[in-house]
C-alpha cells in the first residue's frame, strides 16, 4: 500500500500552498478539538450550593450596586444563573495559540441522558485505573490551597468527587465519541470530506498543506511550487501532524471558595482523620471569600500511524469511499491520555465596573489553560513546541511562552533542533541544550491579562503584559535562531 505522503505529490499541480496568517509565529502545531460536558442535574446542585453560601449574597449585592449601569450597557447575562455563565461563554474562548483549531460543529455533550444508558460493563471498561499513591499526594496538596490558586501546580491534583460524574464521565465520553463517530469525523476534517463533492475527499490537501507549510518560509514555498519532490515533503509534514490530533472534554463548575473548602475538609476528615482537619483548616484560611471556576478535563488522542495512513489512502481516499465506509471499517479511534482538574478565582471588586459575566469568562479561559498546562506536565506526548523568536548577544532566548503556560522560576525547557529527513520530509527534534526562564522577564499572556491591567490603577506596572515574549537564560556564543523550546521539567 502506498502512503499518503506519496499521494501528496498531487498538491504540486494544484498550487495549494498556504502560510498561516495570525499574530503568532507560524510553526507546526498540534491540533485540538475542545468540547463541553454539560449536566443540568449538576448545575442545579451547584446553584443550590451557591444560594446557600453567605459570601455569595454579600458579594452579589456589592457588585450589583457598583456594576448595574455597566452591566446594562454591556448587555451582560444578568438573567443567567451564575453556574451557567461558564457554559454560555465556553465557545467564545479561543483555542490556545499553541494549537491549531480542529473543532467540529458539535461542541456540547449532554451528560445526563447518556449517563442513564451506561451499563456496569461500559462503566468498568472505560474507567481509567487509579494510582493510590498519586491520589494521596495530590489530594493533600489540593487541601493546601492549590486548586484555589490562579496558577496551576505541577503535580496531578486529586479530582474530588462532589457527585458521581467522575465515576461515569469516562464511559459517557466514549459512548458519545462512538455514537457521533468523532474519530472518523476528525479525520474527515483533515481531508476536507464533503459527501456532496464528486471526489468526496479534498485531492488538493488544502488543510493538510496549510498546516504542513506553517513553518515554511516564503523561499520554501517558491521552491515547492517548482519542485514536486520538495512539495511532497512539505505536504508530508502535514500528514505527520494528524498523529498529533487531540480531543479535550471539559466540565466547567462555578463554585464559592468556601463551599469547595468545606467539601474538601469533609472528605479529608473521612479519609485522613485529624490530619485532614488540619489541612482543611489551612485551606479554609487561604481561600477566603469569593468564587472560582473549576475545569475538569479529560484528554484523548486520535490514533494515527503509517499503517493506518496507508490503509486509509488505498482503501478510502483513493476509492472515493464514503464516510459511512470509513466508519464501518473501524480504523479511526480515540485513545485516553489523561485527566486533570484546575481552577481560577473570579477577580471581584466593588470598584470594578467590568460586567460579572466577563470576569467569569476570564476565569473560565484561565482555568482551561491551567488544566492544559497540568496535562502537558504529566503527559510528554501532549507537550508542544514553541519557536525561538529572537536572541540577544548575551545568549538570552525569547519565546512566546508565559504565565498562560504556567511558566515559573526554575522550570526547565529543552532547546530543540528540528531535523528533516531528506527522503520523507518528516521532522524530528534533537535536544541540544536546557534553559530556564529569567524570573524578571516572564510574559503575562494569560487570557484577559491586558483587560485586567486596564481595570487596575493607572500606576500599575504593565511591563509583564507588554513583553510579548519571555526571556530564557542561554549561553553567550550559542546561536539557536530557528530552534524551538519544549517543556522538559516543571519546578
Amino acid at each position: 500500500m502506498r502512503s499518503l505522503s506519496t499521494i501528496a505529490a498531487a498538491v504540486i499541480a494544484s498550487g495549494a500552498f498556504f502560510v498561516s496568517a495570525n499574530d503568532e509565529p507560524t510553526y507546526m502545531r498540534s491540533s485540538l478539538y475542545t468540547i463541553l460536558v454539560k449536566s443540568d442535574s449538576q448545575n442545579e446542585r451547584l446553584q443550590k450550593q451557591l444560594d446557600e453560601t453567605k459570601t455569595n449574597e454579600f458579594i452579589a449585592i456589592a457588585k450589583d450596586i457598583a456594576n448595574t449601569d455597566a452591566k446594562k450597557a454591556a448587555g451582560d447575562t444578568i438573567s443567567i444563573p451564575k453556574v451557567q455563565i461558564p457554559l454560555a461563554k465556553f465557545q467564545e474562548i479561543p483555542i490556545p495559540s499553541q494549537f491549531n483549531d480542529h473543532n467540529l460543529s458539535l461542541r456540547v455533550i449532554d451528560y445526563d441522558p447518556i449517563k442513564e444508558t451506561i451499563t456496569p460493563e461500559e462503566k468498568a471498561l472505560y474507567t481509567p485505573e487509579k494510582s493510590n499513591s498519586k491520589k494521596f499526594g495530590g489530594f493533600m496538596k489540593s487541601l493546601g490551597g492549590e486548586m484555589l490558586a490562579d496558577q496551576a501546580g505541577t503535580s496531578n491534583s486529586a479530582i474530588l468527587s462532589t457527585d458521581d460524574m467522575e465515576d461515569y464521565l469516562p464511559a459517557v465520553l466514549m459512548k458519545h465519541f462512538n455514537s457521533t463517530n468523532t474519530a472518523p469525523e476528525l479525520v474527515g476534517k483533515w481531508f476536507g470530506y464533503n459527501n456532496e463533492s464528486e471526489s468526496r475527499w479534498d485531492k488538493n490537501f488544502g488543510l493538510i498543506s496549510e498546516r504542513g507549510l506553517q513553518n515554511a518560509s516564503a523561499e520554501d514555498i517558491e521552491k515547492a511550487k517548482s519542485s514536486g519532490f520538495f512539495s511532497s515533503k512539505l505536504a508530508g509534514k502535514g500528514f505527520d501532524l494528524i498523529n498529533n490530533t487531540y480531543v479535550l472534554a471539559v466540565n466547567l463548575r462555578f463554585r464559592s471558595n468556601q463551599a469547595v473548602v468545606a467539601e474538601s475538609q469533609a472528605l479529608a476528615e473521612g479519609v485522613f482523620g485529624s490530619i485532614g482537619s488540619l489541612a482543611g483548616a489551612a485551606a479554609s484560611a487561604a481561600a477566603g471569600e469569593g468564587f472560582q471556576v473549576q475545569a475538569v478535563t479529560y484528554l484523548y488522542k486520535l490514533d494515527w500511524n503509517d499503517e493506518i495512513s496507508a490503509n486509509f489512502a488505498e482503501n478510502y481516499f483513493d476509492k472515493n469511499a464514503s464516510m459511512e465506509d470509513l466508519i464501518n471499517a473501524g480504523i479511526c479511534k480515540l485513545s485516553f491520555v489523561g485527566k486533570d482538574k484546575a481552577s481560577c478565582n473570579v477577580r471581584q471588586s466593588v470598584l470594578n465596573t467590568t460586567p460579572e459575566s466577563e470576569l467569569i469568562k476570564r476565569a473560565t479561559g484561565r482555568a482551561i489553560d491551567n488544566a492544559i498546562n497540568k496535562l502537558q506536565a504529566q503527559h510528554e506526548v501532549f507537550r508542544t513546541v514553541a519557536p525561538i523568536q529572537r536572541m540577544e548577544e548575551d545568549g538570552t532566548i525569547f519565546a512566546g511562552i508565559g504565565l498562560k503556560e504556567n511558566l515559573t522560576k526554575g522550570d526547565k525547557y529543552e532547546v530543540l533542533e528540528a531535523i528533516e529527513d531528506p527522503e520523507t520530509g518528516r521532522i524530528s527534534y534533537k535536544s541540544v541544550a536546557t534553559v530556564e526562564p529569567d524570573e524578571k522577564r516572564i510574559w503575562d499572556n494569560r487570557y484577559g491579562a491586558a483587560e485586567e491591567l486596564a481595570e487596575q490603577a493607572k500606576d500599575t506596572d504593565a511591563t509583564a503584559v507588554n513583553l510579548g515574549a519571555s526571556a530564557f537564560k542561554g549561553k553567550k556564543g550559542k546561536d539557536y535562531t530557528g530552534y524551538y523550546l519544549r517543556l522538559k521539567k516543571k519546578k
Side-chain angles (χ1 to χ4, degrees):
M1 293 187 289
R2 60 188 182 133
S3 70
L4 280 167
S5 293
T6 303
I7 299 175
V11 180
I12 307 166
S14 71
F17 299 96
F18 305 90
V19 177
S20 177
N22 52 52
D23 295 332
E24 297 291 327
T26 54
Y27 62 100
M28 294 174 66
R29 296 167 167 87
S30 296
S31 297
L32 187 66
Y33 169 31
T34 60
I35 191 164
L36 176 72
V37 180
K38 178 182 76 70
S39 169
D40 290 338
S41 61
Q42 182 186 58
N43 289 340
E44 290 174 6
R45 181 183 62 77
L46 294 180
Q47 186 62 54
K48 181 180 179 181
Q49 188 182 72
L50 282 177
D51 293 340
E52 295 172 349
T53 303
K54 293 182 180 179
T55 54
N56 179 37
E57 181 179 357
F58 168 76
I59 294 178
I61 292 173
K63 283 194 65 59
D64 281 341
I65 293 173
N67 292 346
T68 299
D69 293 338
K71 287 181 179 181
K72 289 180 179 179
D76 199 18
T77 52
I78 301 173
S79 61
I80 299 178
K82 285 184 174 65
V83 295
Q84 294 187 24
I85 294 177
L87 282 62
K89 296 293 184 179
F90 173 76
Q91 296 191 52
E92 298 178 15
I93 299 171
I95 295 291
S97 59
Q98 58 186 298
F99 299 97
N100 282 315
D101 184 337
H102 207 74
N103 283 327
L104 302 179
S105 58
L106 181 59
R107 300 290 306 282
V108 180
I109 297 176
D110 195 350
Y111 170 86
D112 295 329
I114 302 177
K115 181 215 168 183
E116 295 303 316
T117 69
I118 299 298
T119 66
E121 292 76 18
E122 289 173 325
K123 183 172 176 289
L125 177 63
Y126 294 119
T127 300
E129 295 183 2
K130 298 178 180 179
S131 169
N132 291 330
S133 60
K134 288 184 178 180
K135 181 177 180 181
F136 177 85
F139 178 71
M140 293 307 292
K141 189 167 185 177
S142 71
L143 286 176
E146 177 190 276
M147 65 182 181
L148 300 173
D150 280 350
Q151 295 303 313
T154 59
S155 67
N156 186 14
S157 64
I159 297 181
L160 304 179
S161 295
T162 56
D163 52 28
D164 61 5
M165 178 168 281
E166 272 77 62
D167 295 330
Y168 282 88
L169 192 51
V172 167
L173 289 172
M174 287 307 300
K175 195 156 192 173
H176 167 80
F177 294 150
N178 291 335
S179 65
T180 59
N181 305 307
T182 300
E185 291 291 342
L186 290 171
V187 174
K189 180 166 183 172
W190 271 113
F191 292 95
Y193 180 79
N194 181 0
N195 196 48
E196 303 301 319
S197 171
E198 181 178 348
S199 63
R200 287 202 173 107
W201 305 93
D202 179 13
K203 304 302 182 182
N204 291 329
F205 302 105
L207 182 61
I208 292 176
S209 294
E210 176 183 351
R211 294 183 181 176
L213 291 167
Q214 279 182 342
N215 66 338
S217 65
E219 182 181 359
D220 289 339
I221 294 175
E222 287 304 314
K223 289 180 180 178
K225 290 180 179 179
S226 60
S227 169
F229 177 67
F230 195 81
S231 171
S232 178
K233 288 197 299 179
L234 287 178
K237 296 175 185 177
F239 292 116
D240 284 341
L241 287 180
I242 299 174
N243 187 45
N244 290 316
T245 304
Y246 297 90
V247 179
L248 186 74
V250 184
N251 176 234
L252 295 171
R253 306 168 182 181
F254 183 82
R255 311 190 65 193
S256 73
N257 289 344
Q258 291 296 332
V260 173
V261 169
E263 183 177 274
S264 303
Q265 186 168 356
L267 182 58
E269 290 175 356
V271 177
F272 301 114
S274 60
I275 297 178
S277 299
L278 293 173
S284 180
E289 296 180 345
F291 303 92
Q292 64 177 262
V293 176
Q294 296 176 336
V296 177
T297 53
Y298 284 71
L299 180 67
Y300 296 81
K301 181 179 179 297
L302 177 67
D303 293 339
W304 196 260
N305 54 37
D306 287 345
E307 183 179 353
I308 296 173
S309 178
N311 186 354
F312 172 77
E314 183 169 353
N315 297 307
Y316 304 96
F317 186 88
D318 277 0
K319 295 180 180 179
N320 291 330
S322 67
M323 178 61 71
E324 184 178 0
D325 293 331
L326 181 61
I327 292 169
N328 292 334
I331 65 172
C332 301
K333 299 178 181 179
L334 290 170
S335 294
F336 176 73
V337 177
K339 65 179 181 178
D340 220 309
K341 176 180 182 178
S343 61
C344 181
N345 283 340
V346 179
R347 299 287 191 181
Q348 293 182 311
S349 168
V350 173
L351 300 178
N352 191 341
T353 60
T354 302
E356 187 173 42
S357 67
E358 288 304 307
L359 296 176
I360 296 175
K361 177 182 175 182
R362 183 184 301 163
T364 301
R366 293 184 182 184
I368 294 173
D369 285 339
N370 290 344
I372 289 175
N373 294 335
K374 295 174 77 173
L375 286 166
Q376 290 182 330
Q378 291 294 321
H379 306 283
E380 187 173 349
V381 67
F382 190 48
R383 295 175 188 173
T384 56
V385 299
I388 291 175
Q389 296 181 4
R390 69 182 191 277
M391 293 193 66
E392 293 182 345
E393 292 184 359
D394 64 357
T396 302
I397 293 170
F398 291 88
I401 305 169
L403 294 181
K404 181 175 182 177
E405 291 76 29
N406 192 31
L407 183 66
T408 56
K409 176 184 176 181
D411 289 347
K412 296 185 184 300
Y413 276 74
E414 294 179 285
V415 178
L416 302 174
E417 179 184 6
I419 300 175
E420 179 181 339
D421 186 302
E423 295 184 1
T424 65
R426 289 185 171 177
I427 299 294
S428 61
Y429 294 101
K430 177 183 178 182
S431 180
V432 298
T434 300
V435 295
E436 296 184 10
D438 179 349
E439 61 178 303
K440 296 180 180 179
R441 291 187 286 178
I442 293 180
W443 180 30
D444 187 357
N445 61 335
R446 291 173 298 169
Y447 185 81
E451 292 79 4
E452 185 175 42
L453 180 67
E455 296 161 3
Q456 298 170 359
K458 293 182 180 180
D459 59 351
T460 302
D461 186 4
T463 302
V465 172
N466 295 331
L467 282 174
S470 293
F472 293 78
K473 302 173 184 177
K475 291 185 178 180
K476 187 174 183 179
K478 296 288 186 179
D479 185 5
Y480 295 124
T481 304
Y483 285 51
Y484 298 82
L485 294 184
R486 181 176 62 192
L487 176 65
K488 181 177 183 180
K489 184 179 180 180
K490 288 296 295 180
K491 179 181 176 182

Short mmCIF file of all heavy atoms in Angstrom, two decimals, residues 251-280:
data_model
loop_
_atom_site.label_atom_id
_atom_site.label_comp_id
_atom_site.label_asym_id
_atom_site.label_seq_id
_atom_site.Cartn_x
_atom_site.Cartn_y
_atom_site.Cartn_z
N ASN A 251 -15.49 19.79 31.72
CA ASN A 251 -16.66 20.00 32.57
C ASN A 251 -16.38 21.22 33.44
O ASN A 251 -15.44 21.21 34.24
CB ASN A 251 -16.93 18.76 33.42
CG ASN A 251 -18.07 18.97 34.40
OD1 ASN A 251 -17.93 18.77 35.61
ND2 ASN A 251 -19.22 19.37 33.90
N LEU A 252 -17.17 22.29 33.28
CA LEU A 252 -16.94 23.55 33.98
C LEU A 252 -17.88 23.69 35.17
O LEU A 252 -19.07 23.37 35.07
CB LEU A 252 -17.14 24.72 33.03
CG LEU A 252 -16.14 24.82 31.88
CD1 LEU A 252 -16.58 25.88 30.88
CD2 LEU A 252 -14.74 25.14 32.40
N ARG A 253 -17.33 24.20 36.28
CA ARG A 253 -18.11 24.34 37.51
C ARG A 253 -17.84 25.71 38.14
O ARG A 253 -16.69 26.06 38.38
CB ARG A 253 -17.75 23.23 38.50
CG ARG A 253 -17.87 21.85 37.90
CD ARG A 253 -17.24 20.79 38.77
NE ARG A 253 -17.33 19.47 38.13
CZ ARG A 253 -16.88 18.34 38.68
NH1 ARG A 253 -16.30 18.37 39.87
NH2 ARG A 253 -17.01 17.20 38.04
N PHE A 254 -18.89 26.46 38.40
CA PHE A 254 -18.78 27.76 39.09
C PHE A 254 -19.14 27.53 40.54
O PHE A 254 -20.26 27.12 40.86
CB PHE A 254 -19.70 28.79 38.45
CG PHE A 254 -19.57 30.16 39.08
CD1 PHE A 254 -18.55 31.01 38.70
CD2 PHE A 254 -20.47 30.59 40.05
CE1 PHE A 254 -18.42 32.27 39.27
CE2 PHE A 254 -20.35 31.84 40.62
CZ PHE A 254 -19.32 32.69 40.23
N ARG A 255 -18.19 27.82 41.46
CA ARG A 255 -18.41 27.48 42.86
C ARG A 255 -17.86 28.56 43.78
O ARG A 255 -16.98 29.34 43.39
CB ARG A 255 -17.73 26.15 43.19
CG ARG A 255 -18.04 25.03 42.20
CD ARG A 255 -17.56 23.70 42.69
NE ARG A 255 -18.29 23.31 43.88
CZ ARG A 255 -17.91 22.32 44.68
NH1 ARG A 255 -16.81 21.64 44.42
NH2 ARG A 255 -18.63 22.01 45.75
N SER A 256 -18.35 28.60 45.00
CA SER A 256 -17.80 29.50 46.01
C SER A 256 -16.57 28.84 46.62
O SER A 256 -16.53 27.62 46.79
CB SER A 256 -18.83 29.80 47.09
OG SER A 256 -19.00 28.68 47.94
N ASN A 257 -15.57 29.65 46.94
CA ASN A 257 -14.35 29.10 47.56
C ASN A 257 -14.67 28.38 48.86
O ASN A 257 -14.12 27.31 49.15
CB ASN A 257 -13.34 30.22 47.82
CG ASN A 257 -12.73 30.76 46.54
OD1 ASN A 257 -12.81 30.12 45.49
ND2 ASN A 257 -12.13 31.92 46.63
N GLN A 258 -15.54 28.96 49.67
CA GLN A 258 -15.85 28.36 50.96
C GLN A 258 -16.53 27.01 50.81
O GLN A 258 -16.30 26.09 51.60
CB GLN A 258 -16.72 29.32 51.79
CG GLN A 258 -15.99 30.57 52.25
CD GLN A 258 -14.84 30.25 53.20
OE1 GLN A 258 -14.86 29.26 53.91
NE2 GLN A 258 -13.82 31.09 53.19
N ALA A 259 -17.37 26.87 49.78
CA ALA A 259 -18.04 25.59 49.56
C ALA A 259 -17.03 24.52 49.16
O ALA A 259 -17.11 23.36 49.59
CB ALA A 259 -19.11 25.73 48.48
N VAL A 260 -16.06 24.90 48.34
CA VAL A 260 -15.02 23.95 47.92
C VAL A 260 -14.20 23.51 49.12
O VAL A 260 -13.90 22.32 49.29
CB VAL A 260 -14.10 24.59 46.85
CG1 VAL A 260 -12.92 23.67 46.54
CG2 VAL A 260 -14.89 24.86 45.58
N VAL A 261 -13.83 24.46 49.96
CA VAL A 261 -13.03 24.13 51.13
C VAL A 261 -13.80 23.23 52.09
O VAL A 261 -13.27 22.25 52.62
CB VAL A 261 -12.58 25.41 51.85
CG1 VAL A 261 -11.97 25.09 53.21
CG2 VAL A 261 -11.55 26.15 50.99
N ALA A 262 -15.08 23.56 52.32
CA ALA A 262 -15.89 22.75 53.21
C ALA A 262 -16.01 21.32 52.70
O ALA A 262 -15.92 20.35 53.47
CB ALA A 262 -17.28 23.37 53.36
N GLU A 263 -16.19 21.19 51.41
CA GLU A 263 -16.29 19.87 50.79
C GLU A 263 -14.97 19.10 50.93
O GLU A 263 -14.95 17.91 51.27
CB GLU A 263 -16.64 20.06 49.31
CG GLU A 263 -16.85 18.80 48.53
CD GLU A 263 -17.25 19.16 47.11
OE1 GLU A 263 -18.45 19.37 46.87
OE2 GLU A 263 -16.35 19.24 46.25
N SER A 264 -13.87 19.79 50.68
CA SER A 264 -12.56 19.16 50.78
C SER A 264 -12.27 18.73 52.21
O SER A 264 -11.75 17.63 52.46
CB SER A 264 -11.47 20.13 50.32
OG SER A 264 -11.71 20.56 49.01
N GLN A 265 -12.62 19.58 53.17
CA GLN A 265 -12.35 19.28 54.56
C GLN A 265 -13.17 18.08 55.03
O GLN A 265 -12.67 17.21 55.75
CB GLN A 265 -12.65 20.49 55.44
CG GLN A 265 -12.26 20.29 56.91
CD GLN A 265 -12.31 21.58 57.69
OE1 GLN A 265 -12.55 22.64 57.12
NE2 GLN A 265 -12.07 21.50 58.98
N ALA A 266 -14.43 18.02 54.60
CA ALA A 266 -15.28 16.91 54.99
C ALA A 266 -14.74 15.59 54.45
O ALA A 266 -14.71 14.57 55.14
CB ALA A 266 -16.71 17.13 54.49
N LEU A 267 -14.28 15.62 53.20
CA LEU A 267 -13.73 14.42 52.60
C LEU A 267 -12.42 14.03 53.27
O LEU A 267 -12.16 12.86 53.53
CB LEU A 267 -13.50 14.65 51.09
CG LEU A 267 -12.97 13.45 50.30
CD1 LEU A 267 -13.92 12.27 50.42
CD2 LEU A 267 -12.83 13.84 48.82
N ALA A 268 -11.61 15.05 53.62
CA ALA A 268 -10.33 14.77 54.26
C ALA A 268 -10.52 14.14 55.63
O ALA A 268 -9.81 13.21 56.01
CB ALA A 268 -9.52 16.06 54.39
N GLU A 269 -11.49 14.66 56.38
CA GLU A 269 -11.73 14.11 57.70
C GLU A 269 -12.19 12.66 57.63
O GLU A 269 -11.84 11.84 58.47
CB GLU A 269 -12.77 14.97 58.43
CG GLU A 269 -12.25 16.34 58.81
CD GLU A 269 -13.33 17.23 59.41
OE1 GLU A 269 -14.49 16.78 59.44
OE2 GLU A 269 -13.02 18.35 59.83
N GLY A 270 -12.95 12.36 56.58
CA GLY A 270 -13.42 10.99 56.42
C GLY A 270 -12.33 10.03 56.02
O GLY A 270 -12.35 8.85 56.39
N VAL A 271 -11.33 10.54 55.27
CA VAL A 271 -10.26 9.67 54.78
C VAL A 271 -9.03 9.69 55.68
O VAL A 271 -8.45 8.66 55.98
CB VAL A 271 -9.84 10.10 53.34
CG1 VAL A 271 -8.68 9.25 52.84
CG2 VAL A 271 -11.03 9.98 52.40
N PHE A 272 -8.64 10.89 56.15
CA PHE A 272 -7.38 11.03 56.87
C PHE A 272 -7.53 11.44 58.34
O PHE A 272 -6.54 11.68 59.01
CB PHE A 272 -6.51 12.07 56.16
CG PHE A 272 -6.21 11.71 54.74
CD1 PHE A 272 -6.71 12.49 53.71
CD2 PHE A 272 -5.45 10.59 54.43
CE1 PHE A 272 -6.44 12.16 52.38
CE2 PHE A 272 -5.18 10.27 53.11
CZ PHE A 272 -5.67 11.04 52.09
N GLY A 273 -8.75 11.57 58.82
CA GLY A 273 -8.95 11.89 60.23
C GLY A 273 -8.45 13.26 60.59
O GLY A 273 -8.68 14.25 59.89
N SER A 274 -7.74 13.38 61.71
CA SER A 274 -7.30 14.68 62.23
C SER A 274 -6.34 15.39 61.29
O SER A 274 -6.31 16.61 61.24
CB SER A 274 -6.65 14.50 63.61
OG SER A 274 -5.52 13.65 63.51
N ILE A 275 -5.53 14.64 60.54
CA ILE A 275 -4.62 15.27 59.58
C ILE A 275 -5.42 16.03 58.54
O ILE A 275 -5.09 17.15 58.15
CB ILE A 275 -3.73 14.20 58.89
CG1 ILE A 275 -2.84 13.51 59.92
CG2 ILE A 275 -2.89 14.85 57.80
CD1 ILE A 275 -1.99 12.42 59.32
N GLY A 276 -6.50 15.43 58.10
CA GLY A 276 -7.37 16.09 57.14
C GLY A 276 -8.00 17.35 57.71
O GLY A 276 -8.14 18.36 57.02
N SER A 277 -8.35 17.33 59.00
CA SER A 277 -8.94 18.51 59.63
C SER A 277 -7.97 19.67 59.63
O SER A 277 -8.34 20.81 59.36
CB SER A 277 -9.35 18.17 61.07
OG SER A 277 -10.31 17.13 61.09
N LEU A 278 -6.70 19.40 59.94
CA LEU A 278 -5.69 20.45 59.96
C LEU A 278 -5.46 21.03 58.57
O LEU A 278 -5.37 22.24 58.38
CB LEU A 278 -4.38 19.90 60.53
CG LEU A 278 -4.41 19.50 62.01
CD1 LEU A 278 -3.10 18.81 62.40
CD2 LEU A 278 -4.65 20.72 62.89
N ALA A 279 -5.36 20.13 57.60
CA ALA A 279 -5.15 20.59 56.23
C ALA A 279 -6.35 21.39 55.75
O ALA A 279 -6.21 22.41 55.07
CB ALA A 279 -4.90 19.40 55.30
N GLY A 280 -7.54 20.93 56.10
CA GLY A 280 -8.74 21.65 55.69
C GLY A 280 -8.81 23.03 56.31
O GLY A 280 -9.22 23.99 55.66
#
